[in-house]
Amino acid sequence: VQMFVCCWLFGIVIRGINRWWAIFIAIAVAVITNGVLAPLMLGAIGLVPMVAAKGLVVILSVASAFNSSIAAIVILAFASRKTPGP
């Protein structure tokens, strides 16, 4: 559920704003929600020890930045393609 929310927010921001700078906002939203909030929420509800959750923040933030950057590049590549209409 957490990953769905992170991806959904990323898509809403990058498509909803529809400006070139929305990429940076979408990446920041993805890193904050997936890299910081997700492990801390798991620690807060007791599914993961809080010490482990705090240790995962850096690793997940770097991975989230990498993944969301690649997703933004792919979205830009597909958005710039000219496909023939009906």
Side-chain angles (χ1 to χ4, degrees), residues 20-81:
W20 66 269
W21 45 265
I23 295 167
F24 301 109
I25 296 172
I27 291 171
V29 167
V31 170
I32 290 169
T33 56
N34 191 36
V36 179
L37 295 179
L40 293 179
M41 189 172 75
L42 289 175
I45 61 176
L47 293 176
V48 175
M50 189 55 88
V51 175
K54 288 179 182 177
L56 287 173
V57 168
V58 173
I59 296 167
L60 287 177
S61 295
V62 170
S64 296
F66 180 74
N67 288 338
S68 57
S69 297
I70 293 198
I73 290 169
V74 169
I75 287 173
L76 286 176
F78 279 119
S80 65
R81 284 184 20 178

